[in-house]
Amino acid sequence: MTDDFDPRLRDRLDRLAAAVPTAATDPNLGLLTQRRAVRGRVQFGSLATVMLLLIVVAGSGLLGDGRGGGGGREAVGSATDGVFTLMIRSPRDHYQPRETIDVAATLEYVRDGSIVVSTAADVVGFGVEQIGGLHRVDPVSAQSCRQSSFEHGQPEAYPFSKSGGFSPEMPDAEFIRAYLNISGNKPDPALRLPAGTWSIFAITDLAEGDCGGTVRHQLKAAITVTVDESSVASESPPASLDTAVPSSAPSRESDRTFPGVCPAIVPSLNQCAAFAAWAVGQSGVNLGQVQRIEMTQDQCPGAPACSTGVAGYVVGVRIVTDGGTSSDQLVDCTRIPGSLGGINFLCDEIVTIPGGPVGYPSMRSPISGGYHDVPCLTPAPQGPCATALPTIEPSALSASRPLTISSVEIPIDHVGAYSINLGEATLPNGILTAASAEVTSAPTDPLVSYDGYDLVIMSLDGGPPFENYYAHGWRPGVEHVRVTLNFTVLLFQPGAVINVAAVDVH
Amino acid sequence: MRGAIKRVITDVGSLDEAVRVHRPWLVRRLALVVRDIDEAEDLAQITFLRAAERWPFPAGQDVARWFAVVGLRLAIDERRRRKRWGFLALRDSDQEWAMATDPDLWGALGGLDRRTRAALVMTTLDGYTQDEVADVFGVPRGTVASWLSRGRVRLRAELESHR
């Protein structure tokens, strides 16, 4: 390597970096811009336009229109944007393990005349996702460009096909390997799934005209099928929305589906579970009283589409309790309080970030926001309300006992709220100096709700809440407290645990 | 700011101020790694939103480094996430700003994977050590060394063939 290569490279990189055009930084705009596409981003040029998406989920009786439902009924899902309609079908919605699942899709140009579009190598890709589980295989396609012509009234048929890849270190490698069942360098074309409830979906991504076309059509249609050992049920009357999920109240928290069926507009079941959990929280319904959750897209204000634009989803959530009452919530992921403009867990697919200082979800404690006077008219330290903190008596300090836990493992066995008693401590003069803990598990396994963890400090001596020094007050001697960790699990796999480390309360 | 960005411990009083101070250089770094302005802007936004969840940072926190670490990790994970959706063709868009400045370097950088580009940007432009880069990406130092070695060899071959 020449002596001056590194300095020259540095100079050129420096010039290249300096040439990057950045938008003017408006402090009010900085955190509010919604730029992400509904499902990832495809670089077809900076002027790419995503056509408005209208998705109708018609599989398994979700819309109560008589199609699908339990038993051996046809399962149909469709999506349309007014230009193209993508449909996916299976003659039955109930299969046995090791039985080949018959699935096919059609894509139709619904306007008059004809159109030429460009796509990747496969016009329609197929994938599967386990409902209530974490298995998922998305389609992949070679990065090539092909053009296809569509005529009005002449839908094109696409049989189910597999695609995908895996590496041994992937968490779901075994499932993907079994799914692909590669033989002779080709995947087994037959679709067979293990027992469970599965969403089978078809997606397409079309650009009008050439591959660099700026007008695009992205559609996803899905059906739900059940795979189990029971024999296929005989034909039954059309299933209504109310009977799409078990009508008897589950006896245990872990029996609840959460949610049972996920609308196709929400890209992943994890997000769907998050929508459901958010809606339950907003409804005020006790999670333990929830019998079932239904999700629809037909409760949106305005017309025609239930979409907030390029970055959000609006989903109707109906919460039905054991007592038979129901509560309807309209969840707009872009308007979640505290989401700073809508780019948040509900809108986004989960981004896996290694644990550490950027770990998600967040951990809150009574003093994670710092101490301050209540009320404080001017923020400290400039304002007049920076009252001196009370003094801790040496005798109280020596009599106090902190709670220190290097690590603890919390087994997860149900969806819903958890309140874990971590132990007790005694605080000198009732003053909480530190309250912290770290969660070292992966943020998505198990999946914890967006509002994260609460480290709750509760007085056992009748003292007020531990919000800050000034609200709680000072007392002689020591104060006994209980330390509890609260969180909500949305989704988990059997055997999941949450690892908590460095618990420090004193 | 060469070689100094990661060592600047910026005492910013508000998140808005932090965004104002750090956004331009973060977007520039991310644009070199992901090779697309729009994606770089989006990743920077997500980085700042992650910061908002934790703001205020503890006193003495190296804010710039935090942004760089999170932003670059997101850049790498975003590529994996988009590949998981799979069906959407992933290809570079035309970046006129790059073609007008140094088309040869831009083209040569395109032949490297994101992690190698990120490692090169961090070490060459911002003075990170290989140990620090290894810590950012959760890989052994030797892995970073091999990325950089292969990356430099490839860049050198590409750039010197255009001389």
Side-chain angles (χ1 to χ4, degrees), chain A residues 27 29 42 116 137 181 188 256 285 334 351 356 482 504:
Chain A
L29 181 64
V42 176
V116 173
V137 181
N181 193 21
D188 176 7
R256 301 177 192 275
V285 174
T334 67
V351 175
R482 174 170 296 145
D504 179 20

Side-chain angles (χ1 to χ4, degrees), chain A residues 287-499:
Chain A
L287 186 65
Q289 296 174 337
V290 174
Q291 183 203 87
R292 69 177 188 273
I293 296 172
E294 300 159 0
M295 304 184 77
T296 69
Q297 241 193 305
D298 59 356
Q299 300 181 39
C300 304
C306 200
S307 168
T308 60
V310 297
Y313 316 96
V314 184
V315 179
V317 182
R318 175 169 294 165
I319 301 155
V320 182
T321 68
D322 292 340
T325 59
S326 68
S327 166
D328 289 341
Q329 297 288 323
L330 193 64
V331 184
D332 180 346
C333 79
T334 67
R335 293 188 171 84
I336 303 299
S339 65
L340 294 172
I343 300 181
N344 59 31
F345 179 82
L346 264 65
C347 286
D348 295 349
E349 185 182 354
I350 299 162
V351 175
T352 300
I353 300 176
V358 298
Y360 159 93
S362 60
M363 171 78 70
R364 291 177 301 278
S365 76
I367 56 175
S368 57
Y371 273 109
H372 55 87
D373 262 334
V374 179
C376 185
L377 298 179
T378 307
Q382 293 82 12
C385 64
T387 307
L389 295 174
T391 304
I392 295 178
E393 296 174 329
S395 59
L397 184 62
S398 64
S400 66
R401 291 293 177 266
L403 176 65
T404 305
I405 303 174
S406 60
S407 71
V408 59
E409 198 174 82
I410 302 171
I412 303 301
D413 61 359
H414 66 271
V415 165
Y418 287 73
S419 184
I420 306 299
N421 182 3
L422 295 178
E424 297 181 3
T426 55
L427 306 179
N429 300 125
I431 295 175
L432 181 64
T433 304
S436 63
E438 294 176 11
V439 173
T440 56
S441 329
T444 56
D445 183 19
L447 181 66
V448 173
S449 69
Y450 180 69
D451 51 358
Y453 299 87
D454 277 305
L455 194 63
V456 178
I457 316 297
M458 186 182 73
S459 171
L460 296 175
D461 294 335
F466 281 93
E467 293 176 348
N468 60 50
Y469 284 129
Y470 311 106
H472 186 74
W474 185 97
R475 64 172 58 203
V478 299
E479 183 171 4
H480 296 82
V481 298
R482 174 170 296 145
V483 181
T484 305
L485 183 67
N486 294 345
F487 55 92
T488 301
V489 170
L490 302 180
L491 211 62
F492 72 99
Q493 283 189 319
V497 296
I498 287 179
N499 296 308

Side-chain angles (χ1 to χ4, degrees), chain B residues 85-145:
Chain B
W85 285 108
F87 187 67
L88 310 177
L90 302 169
R91 66 183 70 135
D92 291 338
S93 60
D94 295 329
Q95 298 292 303
E96 293 179 357
W97 59 272
M99 299 306 288
T101 305
D102 195 334
D104 294 338
L105 178 58
W106 184 248
L109 287 172
L112 307 176
D113 61 69
R114 280 194 180 195
R115 289 184 306 181
T116 303
R117 281 200 297 272
L120 272 172
V121 167
M122 293 175 76
T123 54
T124 307
L125 278 186
D126 296 330
Y128 282 82
T129 64
Q130 292 182 9
D131 282 326
E132 289 170 325
V133 175
D135 183 54
V136 167
F137 293 114
V139 298
R141 180 180 177 276
T143 302
V144 174

Side-chain angles (χ1 to χ4, degrees), chain B:
Chain B
M1 295 284 286
R2 182 188 304 164
I5 288 176
K6 74 174 180 71
R7 295 187 177 86
V8 171
I9 300 176
T10 303
D11 183 16
V12 293
S14 70
L15 182 59
D16 279 348
E17 185 181 345
V19 170
R20 206 167 22 245
V21 167
H22 295 286
R23 185 171 169 276
W25 71 258
L26 181 62
V27 170
R28 292 193 175 103
R29 291 298 178 273
L30 293 173
L32 290 182
V33 173
V34 305
R35 295 172 61 77
D36 182 80
I37 274 294
D38 288 341
E39 186 175 352
E41 296 271 10
D42 285 354
L43 290 170
Q45 293 284 65
I46 298 171
T47 302
F48 295 133
L49 284 167
R50 298 282 188 258
E53 292 171 1
R54 307 180 62 80
W55 202 263
F57 284 177
Q61 169 88 44
D62 189 339
V63 175
R65 184 170 191 273
W66 194 95
F67 287 148
V69 168
V70 174
L72 289 168
R73 281 180 178 176
L74 284 172
I76 305 305
D77 281 338
E78 176 70 3
R79 183 73 171 185
R80 281 205 291 266
R81 185 190 81 95
R82 293 175 62 200
K83 275 188 175 176
R84 202 168 79 86
W85 285 108
F87 187 67
L88 310 177
L90 302 169
R91 66 183 70 135
D92 291 338
S93 60
D94 295 329
Q95 298 292 303
E96 293 179 357
W97 59 272
M99 299 306 288
T101 305
D102 195 334
D104 294 338
L105 178 58
W106 184 248
L109 287 172
L112 307 176
D113 61 69
R114 280 194 180 195
R115 289 184 306 181
T116 303
R117 281 200 297 272
L120 272 172
V121 167
M122 293 175 76
T123 54
T124 307
L125 278 186
D126 296 330
Y128 282 82
T129 64
Q130 292 182 9
D131 282 326
E132 289 170 325
V133 175
D135 183 54
V136 167
F137 293 114
V139 298
R141 180 180 177 276
T143 302
V144 174
S146 67
W147 291 348
L148 292 171
S149 174
R150 285 199 295 268
R152 285 198 179 94
V153 166
R154 187 158 181 171
L155 279 182
R156 180 189 175 198
E158 288 280 334
L159 294 175
E160 295 195 346
S161 71
H162 284 103
R163 271 181 151 183

Side-chain angles (χ1 to χ4, degrees), chain A residues 106-124:
Chain A
T106 60
L107 183 62
E108 181 179 1
Y109 178 60
V110 299
R111 289 189 175 171
D112 291 334
S114 63
I115 189 171
V116 173
V117 295
S118 297
T119 66
D122 298 318
V123 177
V124 175

